[in-house]
Amino acid sequence: MTDDAPIPYFGLTPDHLELKDWLHTFAADVIRPAAAEWDEKEEFPWPVVEEAAKAGIYSFDFFATQSFDPSGLGLPLFMEEIFWGDAGIGLSIVGTALAAAGVRANGTDEQVMEWVPQMFGEPGDLKIAAFCSSEPDAGSDVGAMRTRAIYDEASDEWILKGTKTWATNGGLADVHVVTAVVDPDLRSRGQASFVVPPGTKGLSQGQKFHKHGIRASHTAEVVLDDVRIPGRCLLGGKEKLDARLARAREGASSRESGGSNASMATFERTRPAVGAQAVGIARAAYEVALDYAKTREQFGKPIIENQGVAFQLADMKTAIDASRLLVWRAAWMAANGKRFENAEGSMSKLMAGETAVKVTTQAMQILGGNGFTREYPVERWSRDAKIYTVFEGTSEIQRLVIARTVSGAPIR
């Protein structure tokens, strides 16, 4: 365990500490040695995910155990250690969990048990899943979503039409979870989530994106061309959807009509976990910068003895710990059914994402020219960190959510 490990008196049990050590070892021994290769290839790292499956890390049972940890800390601990190893490979390992979270947030218990195990498969027969929400003209503005879901009552089937973008594992996945509009007049409240089973006709991969960072994670468009799926693939069921839509048409608030829209229900569950990923990247960069500052000598002394370097490291460490505590608080609240009265989930993601960008940039500065080369991993981590101020809600969107929550005003 590193000297930057979370401290036990904040509620970590011996089981948590054992989990952290186990994950840290896997990240150090399996993920890090493979990270540069798969970043260069820009391909899904099937062999590494296979190793994660063999170790029991990539599995339905592991996901369920950490997701239902009553302390809420199991999932953030997992995310931080895996992303300390590498963010691109980390997203390949946990991308399926976002789709699983979509099923858990919107589906029935029976749907969770039917679909989530199919998303992971088993060692030797791996499966992956994709959560498809963003669209070319509807990213943060989920109310502008155009993908339609039309119910065919005669066949009890839903017909999906549209294009999704920025989908992790999109098109490559066995199971896709897709959000779509069922009532355009209700904008974001007229949306629902659907499972598209493996091998469904009409679903195809569109453009694969070549990215600045997280290159080992597959990101692509998903094209839905009259995709027909059984009625049972509507998450939550049609009776619940009809009741929610009826309340929305009567003018009830989002909370009164059964909660936020399908995409937001998923993101609310995952923002603290995404924040933990950013903490892992920042911690990795801080540790390398600290070690480098202790050993790199200039003008006859280690550079850490220079106040300009030492103060940077002090700020880096403080921001990382503050981010982690915000993540832990939000994760604990979510696990214990506490509402985010002050947008605590958005706070955690905002702080951690901004910290990851700042700390990785500072680490590059401390390493000087070495930090700008691929001989040291901070260059890759800096590229990876930037996405944490963009995806699952930009930093500006997080600030908007927080501002609206604490002020009660319709800030635009």
Side-chain angles (χ1 to χ4, degrees):
M1 190 186 305
T2 70
D3 62 0
D4 195 54
I7 39 187
Y9 55 79
F10 270 103
L12 294 186
T13 66
D15 286 344
H16 284 137
L17 296 173
E18 183 179 352
L19 171 70
K20 179 177 172 60
D21 282 342
W22 172 51
L23 292 168
H24 186 81
T25 298
F26 182 85
D29 293 349
V30 179
I31 294 177
R32 279 207 172 174
E37 173 189 356
W38 291 100
D39 176 74
E40 190 70 27
K41 286 182 175 180
E42 296 190 60
E43 296 176 0
F44 188 90
W46 289 105
V48 186
V49 180
E50 181 71 37
E51 290 301 312
K54 290 177 182 176
I57 293 170
Y58 184 81
S59 71
F60 169 63
D61 289 342
F62 183 79
F63 166 76
T65 299
Q66 305 316 318
S67 297
F68 290 98
D69 177 0
S71 75
L73 299 183
L75 203 55
L77 287 173
F78 164 61
M79 294 293 184
E80 182 176 334
E81 291 306 320
I82 294 300
F83 283 73
W84 172 92
D86 180 68
I89 292 176
L91 278 171
S92 295
I93 292 173
V94 308
T96 291
L98 179 59
V103 175
R104 183 183 165 203
N106 299 292
T108 64
D109 290 343
E110 291 76 17
Q111 288 173 322
V112 170
M113 294 308 300
E114 177 181 4
W115 293 113
V116 176
Q118 293 185 51
M119 295 179 174
F120 291 92
E122 56 189 25
D125 186 26
L126 285 186
K127 308 295 182 185
I128 60 175
F131 181 71
C132 307
S133 175
S134 294
E135 297 184 2
D137 297 315
S140 298
D141 183 7
V142 295
M145 187 179 295
R146 294 181 179 178
T147 297
R148 288 294 312 275
I150 301 169
Y151 184 60
D152 183 347
E153 190 170 357
S155 62
D156 185 27
E157 290 181 320
W158 288 91
I159 305 168
L160 305 182
K161 303 178 181 182
T163 299
K164 295 295 183 178
T165 193
W166 311 119
T168 299
N169 297 341
L172 199 65
D174 299 277
V175 178
H176 292 75
V177 177
V178 177
T179 55
V181 176
V182 294
D183 188 333
D185 293 335
L186 295 175
R187 287 180 58 80
S188 63
R189 287 191 287 167
Q191 297 172 8
S193 285
F194 302 85
V195 172
V196 181
T200 300
K201 293 181 180 180
L203 184 148
S204 63
Q205 179 183 310
Q207 175 187 4
K208 176 182 176 179
F209 296 103
H210 297 280
K211 306 184 296 294
H212 176 67
I214 55 168
R215 293 178 179 177
S217 174
H218 175 88
T219 309
E221 291 180 331
V222 174
V223 179
L224 303 154
D225 185 10
D226 287 339
V227 172
R228 300 185 74 97
I229 55 176
R232 64 184 178 82
C233 291
L234 166 64
L235 291 176
K238 195 165 187 307
E239 182 177 344
K240 182 178 178 182
L241 172 65
D242 288 343
R244 176 166 63 83
L245 294 178
R247 289 192 294 271
R249 292 186 191 105
E250 292 169 0
S253 69
S254 176
R255 191 172 295 163
E256 290 169 344
S257 62
S260 55
N261 67 73
S263 295
M264 290 297 101
T266 300
F267 293 146
E268 285 168 5
R269 284 184 175 272
T270 59
R271 276 177 179 152
V274 173
Q277 297 171 12
V279 171
I281 298 169
R283 191 184 107 207
Y286 162 77
E287 290 174 359
V288 168
L290 178 63
D291 289 343
Y292 186 88
K294 288 178 178 179
T295 57
R296 172 68 167 172
E297 291 193 2
Q298 290 284 280
F299 305 105
K301 63 181 180 181
I303 63 173
I304 199 170
E305 294 182 20
N306 295 313
Q307 191 178 85
V309 172
F311 278 15
Q312 283 194 74
L313 289 163
D315 288 343
M316 293 158 76
K317 173 65 172 170
T318 301
I320 290 166
D321 280 14
S323 298
R324 182 184 295 117
L325 291 174
L326 283 171
V327 165
W328 283 11
R329 179 183 68 174
W332 176 85
M333 290 176 69
N336 287 274
K338 308 291 184 183
R339 278 186 33 211
F340 291 160
E341 297 285 354
N342 295 295
E344 287 85 355
S346 289
M347 286 184 186
S348 68
K349 197 267 185 182
L350 170 64
M351 179 70 177
E354 298 276 315
T355 293
V357 170
K358 185 175 181 179
V359 167
T360 54
T361 301
Q362 288 176 306
M364 289 180 69
Q365 189 71 20
I366 290 171
L367 268 66
N370 287 323
F372 201 67
T373 71
R374 295 190 182 185
E375 299 302 313
Y376 286 80
V378 292
E379 175 271 337
R380 184 177 71 252
W381 294 336
S382 179
R383 288 189 284 106
D384 292 342
K386 183 55 190 170
I387 194 63
Y388 287 88
T389 64
V390 177
F391 74 173
E392 292 212 35
T394 63
S395 290
E396 291 74 22
I397 287 295
Q398 306 306 329
R399 290 186 173 96
L400 183 62
V401 170
I402 296 164
R404 284 176 174 173
T405 304
V406 300
S407 70
I411 298 167
R412 299 187 184 282

mmCIF file of all heavy atoms in Angstrom, residues 229-276:
data_model
loop_
_atom_site.group_PDB
_atom_site.id
_atom_site.type_symbol
_atom_site.label_atom_id
_atom_site.label_comp_id
_atom_site.label_asym_id
_atom_site.label_seq_id
_atom_site.Cartn_x
_atom_site.Cartn_y
_atom_site.Cartn_z
ATOM 1 N N ILE A 229 -37.193 -4.362 -30.525
ATOM 2 C CA ILE A 229 -36.881 -5.129 -29.322
ATOM 3 C C ILE A 229 -38.178 -5.494 -28.599
ATOM 4 O O ILE A 229 -39.177 -4.765 -28.699
ATOM 5 C CB ILE A 229 -35.962 -4.343 -28.371
ATOM 6 C CG1 ILE A 229 -36.567 -2.973 -28.023
ATOM 7 C CG2 ILE A 229 -34.567 -4.186 -28.981
ATOM 8 C CD1 ILE A 229 -35.767 -2.185 -27.008
ATOM 9 N N PRO A 230 -38.199 -6.611 -27.878
ATOM 10 C CA PRO A 230 -39.415 -7.021 -27.160
ATOM 11 C C PRO A 230 -39.832 -5.992 -26.125
ATOM 12 O O PRO A 230 -38.998 -5.259 -25.573
ATOM 13 C CB PRO A 230 -38.996 -8.338 -26.497
ATOM 14 C CG PRO A 230 -37.819 -8.818 -27.281
ATOM 15 C CD PRO A 230 -37.109 -7.590 -27.747
ATOM 16 N N GLY A 231 -41.128 -5.957 -25.827
ATOM 17 C CA GLY A 231 -41.645 -5.021 -24.841
ATOM 18 C C GLY A 231 -40.985 -5.144 -23.486
ATOM 19 O O GLY A 231 -40.839 -4.154 -22.764
ATOM 20 N N ARG A 232 -40.561 -6.352 -23.133
ATOM 21 C CA ARG A 232 -39.937 -6.564 -21.818
ATOM 22 C C ARG A 232 -38.584 -5.870 -21.715
ATOM 23 O O ARG A 232 -37.998 -5.790 -20.611
ATOM 24 C CB ARG A 232 -39.760 -8.064 -21.549
ATOM 25 C CG ARG A 232 -38.817 -8.761 -22.512
ATOM 26 C CD ARG A 232 -38.742 -10.268 -22.268
ATOM 27 N NE ARG A 232 -37.865 -10.920 -23.221
ATOM 28 C CZ ARG A 232 -36.546 -10.976 -23.118
ATOM 29 N NH1 ARG A 232 -35.959 -10.420 -22.076
ATOM 30 N NH2 ARG A 232 -35.813 -11.572 -24.029
ATOM 31 N N CYS A 233 -38.049 -5.348 -22.825
ATOM 32 C CA CYS A 233 -36.752 -4.668 -22.806
ATOM 33 C C CYS A 233 -36.869 -3.209 -22.379
ATOM 34 O O CYS A 233 -35.844 -2.516 -22.265
ATOM 35 C CB CYS A 233 -36.080 -4.762 -24.167
ATOM 36 S SG CYS A 233 -35.544 -6.437 -24.598
ATOM 37 N N LEU A 234 -38.081 -2.713 -22.174
ATOM 38 C CA LEU A 234 -38.270 -1.384 -21.596
ATOM 39 C C LEU A 234 -37.944 -1.464 -20.108
ATOM 40 O O LEU A 234 -38.611 -2.194 -19.359
ATOM 41 C CB LEU A 234 -39.710 -0.924 -21.794
ATOM 42 C CG LEU A 234 -40.162 0.296 -20.967
ATOM 43 C CD1 LEU A 234 -39.387 1.547 -21.361
ATOM 44 C CD2 LEU A 234 -41.663 0.508 -21.112
ATOM 45 N N LEU A 235 -36.944 -0.728 -19.662
ATOM 46 C CA LEU A 235 -36.548 -0.812 -18.261
ATOM 47 C C LEU A 235 -37.605 -0.188 -17.354
ATOM 48 O O LEU A 235 -38.041 0.942 -17.591
ATOM 49 C CB LEU A 235 -35.193 -0.127 -18.058
ATOM 50 C CG LEU A 235 -34.006 -0.851 -18.703
ATOM 51 C CD1 LEU A 235 -32.717 -0.058 -18.526
ATOM 52 C CD2 LEU A 235 -33.840 -2.255 -18.116
ATOM 53 N N GLY A 236 -38.009 -0.942 -16.365
ATOM 54 C CA GLY A 236 -39.048 -0.503 -15.440
ATOM 55 C C GLY A 236 -40.440 -0.980 -15.828
ATOM 56 O O GLY A 236 -41.342 -1.007 -14.990
ATOM 57 N N GLY A 237 -40.624 -1.322 -17.097
ATOM 58 C CA GLY A 237 -41.916 -1.836 -17.547
ATOM 59 C C GLY A 237 -42.849 -0.739 -18.036
ATOM 60 O O GLY A 237 -42.738 0.431 -17.654
ATOM 61 N N LYS A 238 -43.789 -1.133 -18.896
ATOM 62 C CA LYS A 238 -44.669 -0.153 -19.535
ATOM 63 C C LYS A 238 -45.688 0.446 -18.568
ATOM 64 O O LYS A 238 -46.045 1.630 -18.682
ATOM 65 C CB LYS A 238 -45.411 -0.784 -20.718
ATOM 66 C CG LYS A 238 -46.054 0.271 -21.618
ATOM 67 C CD LYS A 238 -46.462 -0.284 -22.947
ATOM 68 C CE LYS A 238 -46.945 0.830 -23.882
ATOM 69 N NZ LYS A 238 -47.995 1.673 -23.318
ATOM 70 N N GLU A 239 -46.142 -0.322 -17.636
ATOM 71 C CA GLU A 239 -47.127 0.207 -16.681
ATOM 72 C C GLU A 239 -46.535 1.374 -15.889
ATOM 73 O O GLU A 239 -47.170 2.421 -15.716
ATOM 74 C CB GLU A 239 -47.583 -0.902 -15.726
ATOM 75 C CG GLU A 239 -48.652 -0.454 -14.738
ATOM 76 C CD GLU A 239 -49.139 -1.587 -13.857
ATOM 77 O OE1 GLU A 239 -48.885 -2.764 -14.190
ATOM 78 O OE2 GLU A 239 -49.775 -1.286 -12.820
ATOM 79 N N LYS A 240 -45.311 1.207 -15.429
ATOM 80 C CA LYS A 240 -44.640 2.274 -14.677
ATOM 81 C C LYS A 240 -44.382 3.473 -15.572
ATOM 82 O O LYS A 240 -44.563 4.628 -15.156
ATOM 83 C CB LYS A 240 -43.330 1.746 -14.093
ATOM 84 C CG LYS A 240 -42.575 2.759 -13.255
ATOM 85 C CD LYS A 240 -41.313 2.145 -12.669
ATOM 86 C CE LYS A 240 -40.531 3.169 -11.866
ATOM 87 N NZ LYS A 240 -39.265 2.577 -11.317
ATOM 88 N N LEU A 241 -43.969 3.234 -16.823
ATOM 89 C CA LEU A 241 -43.720 4.330 -17.753
ATOM 90 C C LEU A 241 -45.000 5.115 -18.023
ATOM 91 O O LEU A 241 -45.006 6.351 -17.979
ATOM 92 C CB LEU A 241 -43.148 3.793 -19.067
ATOM 93 C CG LEU A 241 -43.006 4.817 -20.205
ATOM 94 C CD1 LEU A 241 -41.985 5.888 -19.843
ATOM 95 C CD2 LEU A 241 -42.628 4.122 -21.522
ATOM 96 N N ASP A 242 -46.085 4.414 -18.305
ATOM 97 C CA ASP A 242 -47.347 5.089 -18.608
ATOM 98 C C ASP A 242 -47.801 5.959 -17.438
ATOM 99 O O ASP A 242 -48.291 7.085 -17.635
ATOM 100 C CB ASP A 242 -48.428 4.068 -18.949
ATOM 101 C CG ASP A 242 -48.205 3.418 -20.316
ATOM 102 O OD1 ASP A 242 -47.436 3.978 -21.109
ATOM 103 O OD2 ASP A 242 -48.803 2.354 -20.563
ATOM 104 N N ALA A 243 -47.648 5.446 -16.225
ATOM 105 C CA ALA A 243 -48.056 6.219 -15.044
ATOM 106 C C ALA A 243 -47.193 7.465 -14.890
ATOM 107 O O ALA A 243 -47.689 8.560 -14.572
ATOM 108 C CB ALA A 243 -47.959 5.338 -13.800
ATOM 109 N N ARG A 244 -45.894 7.320 -15.127
ATOM 110 C CA ARG A 244 -44.986 8.469 -15.005
ATOM 111 C C ARG A 244 -45.295 9.523 -16.061
ATOM 112 O O ARG A 244 -45.328 10.720 -15.770
ATOM 113 C CB ARG A 244 -43.539 8.001 -15.130
ATOM 114 C CG ARG A 244 -42.520 9.133 -15.107
ATOM 115 C CD ARG A 244 -41.114 8.621 -14.900
ATOM 116 N NE ARG A 244 -40.664 7.752 -15.973
ATOM 117 C CZ ARG A 244 -40.160 8.192 -17.129
ATOM 118 N NH1 ARG A 244 -40.082 9.493 -17.365
ATOM 119 N NH2 ARG A 244 -39.732 7.339 -18.044
ATOM 120 N N LEU A 245 -45.551 9.092 -17.284
ATOM 121 C CA LEU A 245 -45.865 10.034 -18.353
ATOM 122 C C LEU A 245 -47.183 10.758 -18.086
ATOM 123 O O LEU A 245 -47.325 11.952 -18.372
ATOM 124 C CB LEU A 245 -45.926 9.310 -19.700
ATOM 125 C CG LEU A 245 -44.609 8.711 -20.211
ATOM 126 C CD1 LEU A 245 -44.845 7.994 -21.534
ATOM 127 C CD2 LEU A 245 -43.534 9.772 -20.362
ATOM 128 N N ALA A 246 -48.147 10.027 -17.540
ATOM 129 C CA ALA A 246 -49.446 10.642 -17.235
ATOM 130 C C ALA A 246 -49.280 11.748 -16.203
ATOM 131 O O ALA A 246 -49.867 12.839 -16.342
ATOM 132 C CB ALA A 246 -50.418 9.575 -16.738
ATOM 133 N N ARG A 247 -48.475 11.492 -15.165
ATOM 134 C CA ARG A 247 -48.246 12.524 -14.151
ATOM 135 C C ARG A 247 -47.509 13.721 -14.745
ATOM 136 O O ARG A 247 -47.799 14.877 -14.413
ATOM 137 C CB ARG A 247 -47.470 11.942 -12.972
ATOM 138 C CG ARG A 247 -48.288 10.970 -12.115
ATOM 139 C CD ARG A 247 -47.584 10.655 -10.801
ATOM 140 N NE ARG A 247 -46.351 9.914 -11.006
ATOM 141 C CZ ARG A 247 -46.273 8.582 -11.065
ATOM 142 N NH1 ARG A 247 -47.382 7.853 -10.946
ATOM 143 N NH2 ARG A 247 -45.112 7.978 -11.237
ATOM 144 N N ALA A 248 -46.558 13.449 -15.631
ATOM 145 C CA ALA A 248 -45.809 14.539 -16.260
ATOM 146 C C ALA A 248 -46.718 15.392 -17.137
ATOM 147 O O ALA A 248 -46.602 16.623 -17.166
ATOM 148 C CB ALA A 248 -44.658 13.967 -17.088
ATOM 149 N N ARG A 249 -47.643 14.745 -17.836
ATOM 150 C CA ARG A 249 -48.567 15.502 -18.709
ATOM 151 C C ARG A 249 -49.501 16.383 -17.890
ATOM 152 O O ARG A 249 -49.980 17.417 -18.357
ATOM 153 C CB ARG A 249 -49.382 14.541 -19.570
ATOM 154 C CG ARG A 249 -48.551 13.804 -20.617
ATOM 155 C CD ARG A 249 -49.414 12.980 -21.543
ATOM 156 N NE ARG A 249 -48.620 12.097 -22.369
ATOM 157 C CZ ARG A 249 -48.508 10.775 -22.175
ATOM 158 N NH1 ARG A 249 -49.190 10.203 -21.177
ATOM 159 N NH2 ARG A 249 -47.742 10.054 -22.958
ATOM 160 N N GLU A 250 -49.777 15.975 -16.663
ATOM 161 C CA GLU A 250 -50.648 16.758 -15.790
ATOM 162 C C GLU A 250 -49.919 17.934 -15.162
ATOM 163 O O GLU A 250 -50.505 18.717 -14.406
ATOM 164 C CB GLU A 250 -51.232 15.863 -14.696
ATOM 165 C CG GLU A 250 -52.217 14.826 -15.232
ATOM 166 C CD GLU A 250 -52.587 13.789 -14.179
ATOM 167 O OE1 GLU A 250 -52.079 13.891 -13.035
ATOM 168 O OE2 GLU A 250 -53.367 12.879 -14.497
ATOM 169 N N GLY A 251 -48.610 18.038 -15.464
ATOM 170 C CA GLY A 251 -47.853 19.192 -14.982
ATOM 171 C C GLY A 251 -47.135 18.973 -13.682
ATOM 172 O O GLY A 251 -46.664 19.938 -13.065
ATOM 173 N N ALA A 252 -47.012 17.726 -13.231
ATOM 174 C CA ALA A 252 -46.303 17.458 -11.981
ATOM 175 C C ALA A 252 -44.833 17.754 -12.166
ATOM 176 O O ALA A 252 -44.290 17.723 -13.260
ATOM 177 C CB ALA A 252 -46.504 15.998 -11.567
ATOM 178 N N SER A 253 -44.166 18.064 -11.064
ATOM 179 C CA SER A 253 -42.724 18.296 -11.109
ATOM 180 C C SER A 253 -42.006 16.998 -11.408
ATOM 181 O O SER A 253 -42.569 15.915 -11.314
ATOM 182 C CB SER A 253 -42.221 18.836 -9.763
ATOM 183 O OG SER A 253 -42.306 17.820 -8.772
ATOM 184 N N SER A 254 -40.736 17.109 -11.760
ATOM 185 C CA SER A 254 -39.935 15.920 -12.053
ATOM 186 C C SER A 254 -39.931 14.964 -10.879
ATOM 187 O O SER A 254 -40.060 13.762 -11.037
ATOM 188 C CB SER A 254 -38.505 16.331 -12.408
ATOM 189 O OG SER A 254 -37.694 15.208 -12.600
ATOM 190 N N ARG A 255 -39.787 15.504 -9.672
ATOM 191 C CA ARG A 255 -39.722 14.642 -8.484
ATOM 192 C C ARG A 255 -41.054 13.948 -8.257
ATOM 193 O O ARG A 255 -41.128 12.768 -7.965
ATOM 194 C CB ARG A 255 -39.340 15.492 -7.273
ATOM 195 C CG ARG A 255 -38.993 14.700 -6.037
ATOM 196 C CD ARG A 255 -38.433 15.622 -4.963
ATOM 197 N NE ARG A 255 -37.175 16.204 -5.390
ATOM 198 C CZ ARG A 255 -36.610 17.273 -4.828
ATOM 199 N NH1 ARG A 255 -37.196 17.881 -3.827
ATOM 200 N NH2 ARG A 255 -35.456 17.742 -5.277
ATOM 201 N N GLU A 256 -42.151 14.696 -8.449
ATOM 202 C CA GLU A 256 -43.473 14.116 -8.225
ATOM 203 C C GLU A 256 -43.836 13.092 -9.279
ATOM 204 O O GLU A 256 -44.577 12.152 -9.020
ATOM 205 C CB GLU A 256 -44.532 15.236 -8.226
ATOM 206 C CG GLU A 256 -44.449 16.149 -7.018
ATOM 207 C CD GLU A 256 -45.312 17.380 -7.186
ATOM 208 O OE1 GLU A 256 -45.709 17.665 -8.342
ATOM 209 O OE2 GLU A 256 -45.591 18.057 -6.189
ATOM 210 N N SER A 257 -43.308 13.267 -10.489
ATOM 211 C CA SER A 257 -43.679 12.358 -11.571
ATOM 212 C C SER A 257 -42.804 11.109 -11.607
ATOM 213 O O SER A 257 -42.871 10.331 -12.533
ATOM 214 C CB SER A 257 -43.572 13.087 -12.918
ATOM 215 O OG SER A 257 -42.256 13.505 -13.177
ATOM 216 N N GLY A 258 -41.973 10.924 -10.602
ATOM 217 C CA GLY A 258 -41.234 9.667 -10.519
ATOM 218 C C GLY A 258 -39.747 9.806 -10.706
ATOM 219 O O GLY A 258 -39.068 8.856 -11.067
ATOM 220 N N GLY A 259 -39.205 11.023 -10.451
ATOM 221 C CA GLY A 259 -37.766 11.194 -10.505
ATOM 222 C C GLY A 259 -37.296 11.834 -11.786
ATOM 223 O O GLY A 259 -38.066 12.270 -12.631
ATOM 224 N N SER A 260 -35.972 11.908 -11.925
ATOM 225 C CA SER A 260 -35.360 12.535 -13.087
ATOM 226 C C SER A 260 -35.437 11.622 -14.290
ATOM 227 O O SER A 260 -35.857 10.477 -14.197
ATOM 228 C CB SER A 260 -33.905 12.865 -12.765
ATOM 229 O OG SER A 260 -33.219 11.711 -12.338
ATOM 230 N N ASN A 261 -35.017 12.135 -15.454
ATOM 231 C CA ASN A 261 -35.098 11.330 -16.663
ATOM 232 C C ASN A 261 -34.108 10.173 -16.606
ATOM 233 O O ASN A 261 -33.246 10.102 -15.731
ATOM 234 C CB ASN A 261 -34.860 12.211 -17.893
ATOM 235 C CG ASN A 261 -33.451 12.737 -17.960
ATOM 236 O OD1 ASN A 261 -32.525 12.001 -18.249
ATOM 237 N ND2 ASN A 261 -33.275 14.017 -17.672
ATOM 238 N N ALA A 262 -34.234 9.267 -17.605
ATOM 239 C CA ALA A 262 -33.486 8.011 -17.562
ATOM 240 C C ALA A 262 -31.976 8.215 -17.559
ATOM 241 O O ALA A 262 -31.245 7.515 -16.847
ATOM 242 C CB ALA A 262 -33.894 7.141 -18.756
ATOM 243 N N SER A 263 -31.476 9.172 -18.349
ATOM 244 C CA SER A 263 -30.036 9.428 -18.381
ATOM 245 C C SER A 263 -29.560 9.984 -17.056
ATOM 246 O O SER A 263 -28.542 9.539 -16.495
ATOM 247 C CB SER A 263 -29.689 10.413 -19.500
ATOM 248 O OG SER A 263 -29.966 9.868 -20.761
ATOM 249 N N MET A 264 -30.272 10.977 -16.520
ATOM 250 C CA MET A 264 -29.852 11.608 -15.286
ATOM 251 C C MET A 264 -29.887 10.638 -14.109
ATOM 252 O O MET A 264 -29.064 10.706 -13.202
ATOM 253 C CB MET A 264 -30.726 12.832 -14.981
ATOM 254 C CG MET A 264 -30.487 14.004 -15.921
ATOM 255 S SD MET A 264 -28.810 14.668 -15.833
ATOM 256 C CE MET A 264 -28.067 13.916 -17.288
ATOM 257 N N ALA A 265 -30.846 9.720 -14.111
ATOM 258 C CA ALA A 265 -30.916 8.732 -13.040
ATOM 259 C C ALA A 265 -29.658 7.871 -13.016
ATOM 260 O O ALA A 265 -29.181 7.477 -11.948
ATOM 261 C CB ALA A 265 -32.151 7.847 -13.208
ATOM 262 N N THR A 266 -29.121 7.595 -14.192
ATOM 263 C CA THR A 266 -27.880 6.823 -14.266
ATOM 264 C C THR A 266 -26.694 7.666 -13.830
ATOM 265 O O THR A 266 -25.868 7.239 -13.019
ATOM 266 C CB THR A 266 -27.652 6.320 -15.705
ATOM 267 O OG1 THR A 266 -28.750 5.494 -16.083
ATOM 268 C CG2 THR A 266 -26.366 5.501 -15.798
ATOM 269 N N PHE A 267 -26.586 8.896 -14.342
ATOM 270 C CA PHE A 267 -25.443 9.748 -14.017
ATOM 271 C C PHE A 267 -25.401 10.094 -12.532
ATOM 272 O O PHE A 267 -24.321 10.226 -11.951
ATOM 273 C CB PHE A 267 -25.485 11.032 -14.851
ATOM 274 C CG PHE A 267 -25.269 10.799 -16.327
ATOM 275 C CD1 PHE A 267 -25.905 11.581 -17.273
ATOM 276 C CD2 PHE A 267 -24.430 9.783 -16.773
ATOM 277 C CE1 PHE A 267 -25.705 11.372 -18.624
ATOM 278 C CE2 PHE A 267 -24.229 9.562 -18.126
ATOM 279 C CZ PHE A 267 -24.863 10.356 -19.055
ATOM 280 N N GLU A 268 -26.572 10.262 -11.902
ATOM 281 C CA GLU A 268 -26.593 10.564 -10.478
ATOM 282 C C GLU A 268 -25.933 9.448 -9.668
ATOM 283 O O GLU A 268 -25.279 9.697 -8.659
ATOM 284 C CB GLU A 268 -28.034 10.763 -10.015
ATOM 285 C CG GLU A 268 -28.617 12.116 -10.447
ATOM 286 C CD GLU A 268 -30.117 12.195 -10.242
ATOM 287 O OE1 GLU A 268 -30.689 11.247 -9.682
ATOM 288 O OE2 GLU A 268 -30.713 13.199 -10.657
ATOM 289 N N ARG A 269 -26.096 8.217 -10.125
ATOM 290 C CA ARG A 269 -25.495 7.087 -9.424
ATOM 291 C C ARG A 269 -23.991 6.978 -9.687
ATOM 292 O O ARG A 269 -23.265 6.445 -8.867
ATOM 293 C CB ARG A 269 -26.161 5.776 -9.871
ATOM 294 C CG ARG A 269 -27.534 5.527 -9.277
ATOM 295 C CD ARG A 269 -28.055 4.165 -9.702
ATOM 296 N NE ARG A 269 -29.313 3.846 -9.053
ATOM 297 C CZ ARG A 269 -29.421 3.251 -7.873
ATOM 298 N NH1 ARG A 269 -28.340 2.918 -7.206
ATOM 299 N NH2 ARG A 269 -30.602 2.989 -7.350
ATOM 300 N N THR A 270 -23.560 7.457 -10.843
ATOM 301 C CA THR A 270 -22.179 7.174 -11.249
ATOM 302 C C THR A 270 -21.210 8.327 -11.022
ATOM 303 O O THR A 270 -19.995 8.121 -11.088
ATOM 304 C CB THR A 270 -22.128 6.790 -12.743
ATOM 305 O OG1 THR A 270 -22.666 7.856 -13.532
ATOM 306 C CG2 THR A 270 -22.920 5.510 -12.991
ATOM 307 N N ARG A 271 -21.695 9.543 -10.765
ATOM 308 C CA ARG A 271 -20.775 10.676 -10.641
ATOM 309 C C ARG A 271 -19.732 10.496 -9.541
ATOM 310 O O ARG A 271 -18.556 10.802 -9.765
ATOM 311 C CB ARG A 271 -21.558 11.982 -10.460
ATOM 312 C CG ARG A 271 -21.989 12.551 -11.808
ATOM 313 C CD ARG A 271 -22.827 13.789 -11.717
ATOM 314 N NE ARG A 271 -23.149 14.234 -13.087
ATOM 315 C CZ ARG A 271 -24.231 14.903 -13.423
ATOM 316 N NH1 ARG A 271 -25.108 15.230 -12.489
ATOM 317 N NH2 ARG A 271 -24.446 15.262 -14.673
ATOM 318 N N PRO A 272 -20.076 10.021 -8.345
ATOM 319 C CA PRO A 272 -19.013 9.801 -7.352
ATOM 320 C C PRO A 272 -17.985 8.772 -7.813
ATOM 321 O O PRO A 272 -16.787 8.930 -7.547
ATOM 322 C CB PRO A 272 -19.788 9.306 -6.117
ATOM 323 C CG PRO A 272 -21.166 9.833 -6.297
ATOM 324 C CD PRO A 272 -21.422 9.807 -7.766
ATOM 325 N N ALA A 273 -18.428 7.740 -8.519
ATOM 326 C CA ALA A 273 -17.488 6.737 -9.027
ATOM 327 C C ALA A 273 -16.563 7.339 -10.070
ATOM 328 O O ALA A 273 -15.362 7.041 -10.120
ATOM 329 C CB ALA A 273 -18.254 5.547 -9.609
ATOM 330 N N VAL A 274 -17.106 8.214 -10.936
ATOM 331 C CA VAL A 274 -16.280 8.899 -11.927
ATOM 332 C C VAL A 274 -15.291 9.821 -11.222
ATOM 333 O O VAL A 274 -14.117 9.917 -11.614
ATOM 334 C CB VAL A 274 -17.162 9.687 -12.917
ATOM 335 C CG1 VAL A 274 -16.314 10.548 -13.840
ATOM 336 C CG2 VAL A 274 -18.009 8.718 -13.735
ATOM 337 N N GLY A 275 -15.733 10.477 -10.168
ATOM 338 C CA GLY A 275 -14.817 11.304 -9.388
ATOM 339 C C GLY A 275 -13.680 10.485 -8.807
ATOM 340 O O GLY A 275 -12.518 10.930 -8.786
ATOM 341 N N ALA A 276 -13.972 9.271 -8.349
ATOM 342 C CA ALA A 276 -12.933 8.396 -7.803
ATOM 343 C C ALA A 276 -11.916 8.021 -8.872
ATOM 344 O O ALA A 276 -10.720 7.871 -8.585
ATOM 345 C CB ALA A 276 -13.570 7.141 -7.203
#
